[in-house]
Amino acid sequence: MLLRFVVVLSVFCVAPLCFAAGEHEQDRYVSMDGSDTNDGSRSSPFATISHALGTEASTIVLLPTKKEPFSGKGNWNVTVNRPVAIACDKNATTDCVMDMKGVARAVVINADDVRLSGITFHNGSFLGDPSCVSLQPECGGGAVLVNTTATGAVIERCTFRHNYAGYAAAVAVFAPFMPSPVNVSLSVISSVFINNTVTVSYTHLRAHETEA
C-alpha cells in the first residue's frame, strides 16, 4: 500500500503575515546562558526549549549567544505536543542555531498549529534502525519530523544544513500505511535546504535541497 499525503509548499512570505517573535505576556525565553530554575522572562531565560514547552507560553523565543548554539539535553529531540510558536528573537544579532552534533533530531511535531521560525537546524541525524529499508518514523527526519496527528504546521525562514537520515534528511512527514489517503498540511515558507543527505533511494518525502 502506497503512502499518500499532501504537502503544501510556499516559497514566498507576505510581510504582514510573517511571524516575528516580540514582547508578549505569554512569551517565554530560552538561552544557553539561562537556567531552567529561572522564570523564563527575557532577563531570566530558561536553558532548554523542552522546559519552556512545559509552561503555558504561546511563543517560545530563542535568544542566541555567540559562544555556543542551542544543543544538549532539552534542546535535542524536542517533542511538541501542543500548539506553540518557537522562534528566533527578532532582535537577535547572531543566528539561532540548533546543533544536534550528528546524534539526534531537533524537533518532533505531534500537535496542530506549530510554527518554527528563523531557526537554523544543523547536524541533525536520525537513523534508528540502521538498515532503514522502509518508510518508518525511526528512519526519517534528520532535523524535524511532522506526524500525521499534526495539522497546520508552518516552517518559515529556517535553514536546514548538513542533516542526515534514512529518508527526508531535513523534514519528514510521516503517515502510517492506510487504505485511504492521508492529508498532511505543512507550509514551508522562505526556507533554505543545504547539503542534507539521505541513505535510502525511496525519496518521496525528501526535502528539496539547494547547494550553498
Side-chain angles (χ1 to χ4, degrees):
M1 184 71 64
L2 292 177
L3 176 67
R4 287 168 286 185
F5 61 95
V6 175
V7 177
V8 180
L9 297 179
S10 302
V11 294
F12 63 93
C13 183
V14 180
L17 301 180
C18 291
F19 175 83
E23 292 283 355
H24 300 290
E25 183 178 353
Q26 292 302 314
D27 290 355
R28 290 296 180 268
Y29 296 82
V30 177
S31 169
M32 289 297 289
D33 288 335
S35 169
D36 285 345
T37 61
N38 290 344
D39 63 12
S41 63
R42 178 181 284 274
S43 60
S44 184
F46 296 133
T48 67
I49 300 167
S50 291
H51 187 80
L53 283 169
T55 71
E56 296 182 356
S58 57
T59 301
I60 295 170
V61 182
L62 305 185
L63 303 175
T65 64
K66 292 184 179 180
K67 65 179 183 180
E68 61 181 325
F70 293 90
S71 193
K73 185 178 180 181
N75 292 317
W76 289 343
N77 293 322
V78 174
T79 301
V80 183
N81 292 321
R82 64 177 181 84
V84 69
I86 303 174
C88 188
D89 179 29
K90 68 176 182 179
N91 298 315
T93 58
T94 189
D95 292 341
C96 286
V97 179
M98 292 182 68
D99 187 351
M100 281 66 71
K101 300 187 184 300
V103 298
R105 275 191 188 117
V107 178
V108 177
I109 297 175
N110 293 327
D112 295 345
D113 301 321
V114 173
R115 183 181 294 264
L116 305 177
S117 181
I119 303 168
T120 295
F121 297 94
H122 183 62
N123 285 333
S125 178
F126 207 91
L127 287 176
D129 176 3
S131 63
C132 282
V133 295
S134 62
L135 289 179
Q136 299 297 326
E138 64 267 23
C139 294
V144 176
L145 175 68
V146 182
N147 280 310
T148 52
T149 53
T151 61
V154 176
I155 296 171
E156 63 178 353
R157 295 182 288 107
C158 290
T159 298
F160 294 86
R161 185 176 63 210
H162 299 300
N163 298 288
Y164 182 84
Y167 72 92
V171 182
V173 179
F174 175 74
F177 292 94
M178 300 178 68
S180 58
V182 174
N183 295 325
V184 179
S185 173
L186 168 64
S187 295
V188 180
I189 304 169
S190 299
S191 294
V192 179
F193 298 82
I194 304 169
N195 295 334
N196 299 289
T197 304
V198 295
T199 61
V200 178
S201 59
Y202 197 148
T203 57
H204 277 79
L205 302 181
R206 183 179 179 179
H208 173 66
E209 300 170 7
T210 59
E211 296 298 325

Short mmCIF file of all heavy atoms in Angstrom, two decimals, residues 75-135:
data_model
loop_
_atom_site.label_atom_id
_atom_site.label_comp_id
_atom_site.label_asym_id
_atom_site.label_seq_id
_atom_site.Cartn_x
_atom_site.Cartn_y
_atom_site.Cartn_z
N ASN A 75 17.35 20.44 24.44
CA ASN A 75 17.35 21.18 23.17
C ASN A 75 17.53 20.24 21.98
O ASN A 75 17.63 20.70 20.84
CB ASN A 75 18.45 22.24 23.18
CG ASN A 75 18.18 23.36 24.16
OD1 ASN A 75 17.04 23.84 24.25
ND2 ASN A 75 19.18 23.77 24.91
N TRP A 76 17.62 18.95 22.24
CA TRP A 76 17.60 17.89 21.22
C TRP A 76 16.34 17.08 21.40
O TRP A 76 15.78 16.98 22.51
CB TRP A 76 18.78 16.95 21.38
CG TRP A 76 20.12 17.49 21.04
CD1 TRP A 76 20.40 18.61 20.30
CD2 TRP A 76 21.38 16.94 21.43
NE1 TRP A 76 21.75 18.78 20.19
CE2 TRP A 76 22.38 17.78 20.87
CE3 TRP A 76 21.77 15.83 22.17
CZ2 TRP A 76 23.74 17.53 21.05
CZ3 TRP A 76 23.12 15.59 22.35
CH2 TRP A 76 24.10 16.43 21.79
N ASN A 77 15.85 16.48 20.32
CA ASN A 77 14.67 15.62 20.41
C ASN A 77 13.53 16.31 21.16
O ASN A 77 12.87 15.72 22.01
CB ASN A 77 15.02 14.29 21.08
CG ASN A 77 15.96 13.45 20.25
OD1 ASN A 77 15.85 13.41 19.03
ND2 ASN A 77 16.90 12.79 20.92
N VAL A 78 13.31 17.56 20.83
CA VAL A 78 12.25 18.34 21.46
C VAL A 78 10.90 17.88 20.91
O VAL A 78 10.66 17.97 19.71
CB VAL A 78 12.45 19.84 21.21
CG1 VAL A 78 11.27 20.64 21.74
CG2 VAL A 78 13.76 20.31 21.84
N THR A 79 10.04 17.36 21.78
CA THR A 79 8.73 16.86 21.34
C THR A 79 7.67 17.91 21.66
O THR A 79 7.52 18.34 22.80
CB THR A 79 8.39 15.55 22.06
OG1 THR A 79 9.40 14.58 21.75
CG2 THR A 79 7.04 15.02 21.60
N VAL A 80 6.94 18.32 20.61
CA VAL A 80 5.94 19.37 20.75
C VAL A 80 4.55 18.75 20.71
O VAL A 80 4.13 18.23 19.68
CB VAL A 80 6.09 20.42 19.62
CG1 VAL A 80 5.09 21.55 19.81
CG2 VAL A 80 7.52 20.96 19.59
N ASN A 81 3.85 18.83 21.83
CA ASN A 81 2.55 18.18 21.96
C ASN A 81 1.40 19.18 22.14
O ASN A 81 0.30 18.80 22.54
CB ASN A 81 2.56 17.22 23.15
CG ASN A 81 3.45 16.03 22.92
OD1 ASN A 81 3.51 15.48 21.81
ND2 ASN A 81 4.18 15.61 23.95
N ARG A 82 1.66 20.44 21.84
CA ARG A 82 0.60 21.46 21.95
C ARG A 82 0.89 22.56 20.93
O ARG A 82 2.03 22.73 20.48
CB ARG A 82 0.56 22.04 23.37
CG ARG A 82 1.82 22.79 23.78
CD ARG A 82 1.68 23.39 25.16
NE ARG A 82 2.85 24.15 25.59
CZ ARG A 82 3.08 25.42 25.28
NH1 ARG A 82 2.24 26.08 24.49
NH2 ARG A 82 4.16 26.04 25.73
N PRO A 83 -0.13 23.34 20.55
CA PRO A 83 0.10 24.46 19.63
C PRO A 83 1.07 25.47 20.25
O PRO A 83 0.88 25.90 21.40
CB PRO A 83 -1.30 25.06 19.44
CG PRO A 83 -2.24 23.95 19.79
CD PRO A 83 -1.56 23.17 20.88
N VAL A 84 2.07 25.87 19.50
CA VAL A 84 3.06 26.82 20.01
C VAL A 84 3.91 27.33 18.85
O VAL A 84 4.01 26.66 17.80
CB VAL A 84 3.97 26.14 21.07
CG1 VAL A 84 4.87 25.10 20.43
CG2 VAL A 84 4.78 27.16 21.87
N ALA A 85 4.48 28.49 19.03
CA ALA A 85 5.48 29.00 18.09
C ALA A 85 6.84 28.97 18.77
O ALA A 85 6.96 29.36 19.94
CB ALA A 85 5.13 30.42 17.67
N ILE A 86 7.85 28.48 18.06
CA ILE A 86 9.23 28.51 18.54
C ILE A 86 10.00 29.35 17.53
O ILE A 86 10.09 28.98 16.35
CB ILE A 86 9.83 27.10 18.64
CG1 ILE A 86 8.96 26.23 19.57
CG2 ILE A 86 11.27 27.15 19.16
CD1 ILE A 86 9.40 24.76 19.62
N ALA A 87 10.54 30.47 17.97
CA ALA A 87 11.08 31.44 17.02
C ALA A 87 12.34 32.09 17.55
O ALA A 87 12.52 32.30 18.74
CB ALA A 87 10.05 32.52 16.73
N CYS A 88 13.22 32.44 16.61
CA CYS A 88 14.40 33.22 16.95
C CYS A 88 13.97 34.65 17.30
O CYS A 88 13.06 35.21 16.68
CB CYS A 88 15.36 33.24 15.77
SG CYS A 88 16.97 33.98 16.14
N ASP A 89 14.61 35.22 18.29
CA ASP A 89 14.33 36.59 18.69
C ASP A 89 14.50 37.53 17.49
O ASP A 89 15.53 37.50 16.80
CB ASP A 89 15.28 36.98 19.82
CG ASP A 89 15.08 38.40 20.29
OD1 ASP A 89 13.95 38.90 20.20
OD2 ASP A 89 16.08 39.01 20.74
N LYS A 90 13.52 38.37 17.26
CA LYS A 90 13.57 39.25 16.09
C LYS A 90 14.70 40.28 16.20
O LYS A 90 15.11 40.86 15.19
CB LYS A 90 12.22 39.96 15.89
CG LYS A 90 11.87 40.96 16.97
CD LYS A 90 10.57 41.67 16.65
CE LYS A 90 10.23 42.71 17.70
NZ LYS A 90 8.97 43.41 17.38
N ASN A 91 15.21 40.50 17.40
CA ASN A 91 16.29 41.46 17.60
C ASN A 91 17.67 40.80 17.69
O ASN A 91 18.65 41.47 18.00
CB ASN A 91 16.04 42.27 18.88
CG ASN A 91 14.77 43.09 18.81
OD1 ASN A 91 14.49 43.74 17.80
ND2 ASN A 91 13.97 43.05 19.87
N ALA A 92 17.73 39.51 17.41
CA ALA A 92 19.00 38.79 17.54
C ALA A 92 20.02 39.31 16.54
O ALA A 92 19.69 39.62 15.39
CB ALA A 92 18.78 37.30 17.32
N THR A 93 21.27 39.40 16.98
CA THR A 93 22.35 39.84 16.10
C THR A 93 23.20 38.68 15.61
O THR A 93 24.15 38.87 14.85
CB THR A 93 23.26 40.84 16.85
OG1 THR A 93 23.77 40.21 18.03
CG2 THR A 93 22.47 42.09 17.23
N THR A 94 22.86 37.47 16.03
CA THR A 94 23.51 36.27 15.53
C THR A 94 22.45 35.21 15.27
O THR A 94 21.31 35.33 15.74
CB THR A 94 24.57 35.75 16.54
OG1 THR A 94 25.34 34.71 15.94
CG2 THR A 94 23.90 35.23 17.82
N ASP A 95 22.78 34.17 14.51
CA ASP A 95 21.79 33.16 14.13
C ASP A 95 21.36 32.31 15.32
O ASP A 95 22.15 32.05 16.24
CB ASP A 95 22.36 32.24 13.06
CG ASP A 95 22.58 32.95 11.74
OD1 ASP A 95 21.97 34.01 11.53
OD2 ASP A 95 23.38 32.44 10.92
N CYS A 96 20.12 31.89 15.29
CA CYS A 96 19.62 30.91 16.25
C CYS A 96 19.88 29.52 15.68
O CYS A 96 19.12 29.03 14.82
CB CYS A 96 18.13 31.10 16.50
SG CYS A 96 17.72 32.54 17.49
N VAL A 97 20.94 28.88 16.11
CA VAL A 97 21.35 27.58 15.58
C VAL A 97 21.04 26.49 16.58
O VAL A 97 21.46 26.56 17.74
CB VAL A 97 22.85 27.56 15.25
CG1 VAL A 97 23.26 26.19 14.71
CG2 VAL A 97 23.19 28.65 14.23
N MET A 98 20.29 25.48 16.14
CA MET A 98 20.13 24.25 16.92
C MET A 98 21.08 23.22 16.33
O MET A 98 20.89 22.76 15.21
CB MET A 98 18.68 23.76 16.87
CG MET A 98 17.69 24.66 17.59
SD MET A 98 15.99 24.01 17.56
CE MET A 98 16.16 22.56 18.62
N ASP A 99 22.13 22.90 17.07
CA ASP A 99 23.17 21.98 16.59
C ASP A 99 23.01 20.64 17.30
O ASP A 99 23.26 20.52 18.49
CB ASP A 99 24.55 22.57 16.87
CG ASP A 99 25.67 21.75 16.24
OD1 ASP A 99 25.40 20.65 15.73
OD2 ASP A 99 26.83 22.22 16.27
N MET A 100 22.60 19.62 16.52
CA MET A 100 22.37 18.30 17.10
C MET A 100 23.63 17.45 17.10
O MET A 100 23.61 16.29 17.54
CB MET A 100 21.24 17.59 16.35
CG MET A 100 19.85 18.06 16.76
SD MET A 100 19.52 19.78 16.32
CE MET A 100 19.38 19.70 14.55
N LYS A 101 24.71 17.97 16.57
CA LYS A 101 26.02 17.32 16.61
C LYS A 101 26.03 15.89 16.06
O LYS A 101 26.82 15.04 16.46
CB LYS A 101 26.58 17.35 18.04
CG LYS A 101 26.74 18.76 18.59
CD LYS A 101 27.43 18.78 19.92
CE LYS A 101 27.51 20.20 20.50
NZ LYS A 101 28.24 21.13 19.63
N GLY A 102 25.10 15.63 15.13
CA GLY A 102 25.08 14.33 14.46
C GLY A 102 24.52 13.18 15.27
O GLY A 102 24.66 12.03 14.88
N VAL A 103 23.85 13.49 16.40
CA VAL A 103 23.40 12.39 17.27
C VAL A 103 21.90 12.40 17.54
O VAL A 103 21.39 11.51 18.22
CB VAL A 103 24.15 12.40 18.61
CG1 VAL A 103 25.63 12.19 18.40
CG2 VAL A 103 23.89 13.67 19.40
N ALA A 104 21.15 13.38 17.03
CA ALA A 104 19.74 13.48 17.40
C ALA A 104 18.96 14.28 16.37
O ALA A 104 19.52 14.99 15.55
CB ALA A 104 19.60 14.13 18.77
N ARG A 105 17.63 14.16 16.43
CA ARG A 105 16.74 15.08 15.75
C ARG A 105 16.68 16.37 16.56
O ARG A 105 17.04 16.43 17.73
CB ARG A 105 15.31 14.52 15.70
CG ARG A 105 15.01 13.57 14.58
CD ARG A 105 13.49 13.33 14.54
NE ARG A 105 13.17 12.28 13.59
CZ ARG A 105 12.60 11.13 13.94
NH1 ARG A 105 12.32 10.88 15.21
NH2 ARG A 105 12.32 10.23 13.02
N ALA A 106 16.10 17.40 15.94
CA ALA A 106 15.84 18.64 16.68
C ALA A 106 14.43 18.62 17.26
O ALA A 106 14.26 18.75 18.47
CB ALA A 106 16.02 19.84 15.77
N VAL A 107 13.43 18.43 16.40
CA VAL A 107 12.04 18.62 16.82
C VAL A 107 11.14 17.52 16.25
O VAL A 107 11.27 17.15 15.08
CB VAL A 107 11.51 19.99 16.35
CG1 VAL A 107 10.04 20.17 16.75
CG2 VAL A 107 12.36 21.13 16.93
N VAL A 108 10.23 17.02 17.08
CA VAL A 108 9.15 16.14 16.64
C VAL A 108 7.83 16.86 16.91
O VAL A 108 7.55 17.25 18.05
CB VAL A 108 9.16 14.78 17.37
CG1 VAL A 108 7.98 13.92 16.92
CG2 VAL A 108 10.47 14.05 17.11
N ILE A 109 7.04 17.07 15.87
CA ILE A 109 5.78 17.80 15.99
C ILE A 109 4.62 16.82 16.03
O ILE A 109 4.37 16.11 15.06
CB ILE A 109 5.61 18.79 14.82
CG1 ILE A 109 6.72 19.85 14.86
CG2 ILE A 109 4.24 19.46 14.87
CD1 ILE A 109 6.71 20.80 13.68
N ASN A 110 3.90 16.81 17.14
CA ASN A 110 2.74 15.93 17.31
C ASN A 110 1.44 16.71 17.45
O ASN A 110 0.38 16.09 17.59
CB ASN A 110 2.91 15.06 18.57
CG ASN A 110 4.04 14.06 18.43
OD1 ASN A 110 4.33 13.57 17.35
ND2 ASN A 110 4.70 13.76 19.54
N ALA A 111 1.50 18.03 17.44
CA ALA A 111 0.32 18.85 17.72
C ALA A 111 -0.03 19.72 16.51
O ALA A 111 0.80 19.98 15.64
CB ALA A 111 0.57 19.73 18.94
N ASP A 112 -1.27 20.20 16.50
CA ASP A 112 -1.71 21.13 15.46
C ASP A 112 -1.10 22.51 15.69
O ASP A 112 -0.77 22.89 16.82
CB ASP A 112 -3.23 21.27 15.48
CG ASP A 112 -3.95 19.99 15.12
OD1 ASP A 112 -3.29 19.08 14.59
OD2 ASP A 112 -5.16 19.90 15.40
N ASP A 113 -0.99 23.26 14.61
CA ASP A 113 -0.67 24.69 14.67
C ASP A 113 0.65 24.98 15.38
O ASP A 113 0.73 25.85 16.26
CB ASP A 113 -1.81 25.46 15.34
CG ASP A 113 -3.13 25.29 14.60
OD1 ASP A 113 -3.11 25.26 13.35
OD2 ASP A 113 -4.17 25.15 15.26
N VAL A 114 1.68 24.28 14.98
CA VAL A 114 3.03 24.52 15.49
C VAL A 114 3.80 25.31 14.43
O VAL A 114 3.75 24.99 13.25
CB VAL A 114 3.75 23.21 15.82
CG1 VAL A 114 5.22 23.47 16.19
CG2 VAL A 114 3.04 22.49 16.96
N ARG A 115 4.52 26.34 14.87
CA ARG A 115 5.27 27.19 13.95
C ARG A 115 6.73 27.25 14.38
O ARG A 115 7.03 27.51 15.55
CB ARG A 115 4.67 28.60 13.94
CG ARG A 115 5.31 29.56 12.97
CD ARG A 115 4.65 30.92 13.06
NE ARG A 115 3.27 30.87 12.61
CZ ARG A 115 2.87 31.19 11.38
NH1 ARG A 115 3.75 31.58 10.48
NH2 ARG A 115 1.60 31.13 11.06
N LEU A 116 7.63 26.99 13.44
CA LEU A 116 9.07 27.12 13.66
C LEU A 116 9.55 28.26 12.79
O LEU A 116 9.32 28.26 11.58
CB LEU A 116 9.80 25.83 13.30
CG LEU A 116 9.32 24.55 13.98
CD1 LEU A 116 10.09 23.34 13.46
CD2 LEU A 116 9.45 24.64 15.50
N SER A 117 10.23 29.24 13.40
CA SER A 117 10.55 30.45 12.65
C SER A 117 11.96 30.94 12.92
O SER A 117 12.38 31.09 14.08
CB SER A 117 9.55 31.56 13.04
OG SER A 117 9.79 32.74 12.33
N GLY A 118 12.71 31.16 11.83
CA GLY A 118 14.00 31.81 11.93
C GLY A 118 15.11 30.99 12.55
O GLY A 118 16.10 31.54 13.03
N ILE A 119 14.99 29.67 12.52
CA ILE A 119 15.95 28.78 13.18
C ILE A 119 16.82 28.08 12.14
O ILE A 119 16.34 27.68 11.08
CB ILE A 119 15.21 27.73 14.04
CG1 ILE A 119 14.30 28.42 15.06
CG2 ILE A 119 16.21 26.80 14.75
CD1 ILE A 119 13.34 27.47 15.75
N THR A 120 18.09 27.90 12.45
CA THR A 120 18.98 27.08 11.63
C THR A 120 19.12 25.72 12.30
O THR A 120 19.55 25.62 13.45
CB THR A 120 20.37 27.72 11.49
OG1 THR A 120 20.24 28.95 10.75
CG2 THR A 120 21.33 26.80 10.74
N PHE A 121 18.74 24.67 11.56
CA PHE A 121 18.83 23.29 12.06
C PHE A 121 20.08 22.66 11.45
O PHE A 121 20.16 22.49 10.24
CB PHE A 121 17.58 22.49 11.69
CG PHE A 121 16.32 23.03 12.30
CD1 PHE A 121 15.51 23.92 11.60
CD2 PHE A 121 15.95 22.66 13.58
CE1 PHE A 121 14.36 24.43 12.17
CE2 PHE A 121 14.79 23.14 14.17
CZ PHE A 121 13.98 24.04 13.45
N HIS A 122 21.02 22.31 12.31
CA HIS A 122 22.36 21.92 11.85
C HIS A 122 22.76 20.56 12.44
O HIS A 122 22.56 20.29 13.62
CB HIS A 122 23.36 23.00 12.29
CG HIS A 122 24.76 22.77 11.83
ND1 HIS A 122 25.13 22.72 10.50
CD2 HIS A 122 25.90 22.60 12.54
CE1 HIS A 122 26.43 22.53 10.40
NE2 HIS A 122 26.92 22.44 11.62
N ASN A 123 23.30 19.70 11.57
CA ASN A 123 23.86 18.41 12.01
C ASN A 123 22.85 17.49 12.69
O ASN A 123 23.20 16.71 13.57
CB ASN A 123 25.05 18.63 12.97
CG ASN A 123 26.29 19.08 12.24
OD1 ASN A 123 26.48 18.78 11.06
ND2 ASN A 123 27.15 19.81 12.93
N GLY A 124 21.59 17.58 12.27
CA GLY A 124 20.60 16.62 12.76
C GLY A 124 20.82 15.26 12.14
O GLY A 124 21.21 15.15 10.97
N SER A 125 20.59 14.22 12.90
CA SER A 125 20.80 12.87 12.39
C SER A 125 19.85 11.91 13.08
O SER A 125 19.76 11.90 14.31
CB SER A 125 22.24 12.41 12.62
OG SER A 125 22.43 11.09 12.15
N PHE A 126 19.12 11.14 12.27
CA PHE A 126 18.26 10.11 12.86
C PHE A 126 18.11 8.95 11.91
O PHE A 126 17.54 9.07 10.84
CB PHE A 126 16.89 10.67 13.22
CG PHE A 126 16.26 9.93 14.36
CD1 PHE A 126 16.47 10.34 15.67
CD2 PHE A 126 15.50 8.80 14.13
CE1 PHE A 126 15.91 9.65 16.73
CE2 PHE A 126 14.94 8.10 15.18
CZ PHE A 126 15.13 8.52 16.48
N LEU A 127 18.63 7.80 12.32
CA LEU A 127 18.51 6.58 11.53
C LEU A 127 17.72 5.51 12.26
O LEU A 127 17.00 4.74 11.65
CB LEU A 127 19.90 6.04 11.17
CG LEU A 127 20.65 6.84 10.10
CD1 LEU A 127 22.05 6.27 9.91
CD2 LEU A 127 19.90 6.79 8.78
N GLY A 128 17.81 5.46 13.59
CA GLY A 128 17.11 4.42 14.32
C GLY A 128 17.60 3.05 13.88
O GLY A 128 18.72 2.65 14.15
N ASP A 129 16.75 2.35 13.17
CA ASP A 129 17.12 1.06 12.59
C ASP A 129 18.21 1.30 11.54
O ASP A 129 17.98 1.99 10.55
CB ASP A 129 15.89 0.43 11.94
CG ASP A 129 16.21 -0.87 11.22
OD1 ASP A 129 17.36 -1.33 11.27
OD2 ASP A 129 15.28 -1.42 10.61
N PRO A 130 19.40 0.76 11.73
CA PRO A 130 20.49 1.03 10.79
C PRO A 130 20.19 0.63 9.35
O PRO A 130 20.75 1.19 8.42
CB PRO A 130 21.66 0.21 11.36
CG PRO A 130 21.33 0.04 12.80
CD PRO A 130 19.83 -0.08 12.86
N SER A 131 19.30 -0.35 9.17
CA SER A 131 19.01 -0.80 7.80
C SER A 131 18.15 0.21 7.05
O SER A 131 18.34 0.47 5.86
CB SER A 131 18.30 -2.16 7.82
OG SER A 131 17.06 -2.07 8.48
N CYS A 132 17.16 0.79 7.72
CA CYS A 132 16.29 1.82 7.12
C CYS A 132 15.87 1.45 5.71
O CYS A 132 16.14 2.17 4.74
CB CYS A 132 16.99 3.18 7.13
SG CYS A 132 16.93 3.96 8.73
N VAL A 133 15.21 0.32 5.58
CA VAL A 133 14.82 -0.15 4.25
C VAL A 133 13.38 0.19 3.91
O VAL A 133 12.91 -0.11 2.83
CB VAL A 133 15.03 -1.68 4.13
CG1 VAL A 133 16.51 -2.01 4.24
CG2 VAL A 133 14.22 -2.43 5.19
N SER A 134 12.65 0.81 4.82
CA SER A 134 11.26 1.16 4.55
C SER A 134 10.94 2.51 5.16
O SER A 134 11.72 3.06 5.94
CB SER A 134 10.31 0.10 5.13
OG SER A 134 10.45 0.03 6.53
N LEU A 135 9.77 3.06 4.80
CA LEU A 135 9.37 4.35 5.35
C LEU A 135 8.83 4.17 6.75
O LEU A 135 7.64 3.95 6.96
CB LEU A 135 8.32 4.99 4.44
CG LEU A 135 8.83 5.50 3.10
CD1 LEU A 135 7.66 6.07 2.30
CD2 LEU A 135 9.90 6.53 3.28
#
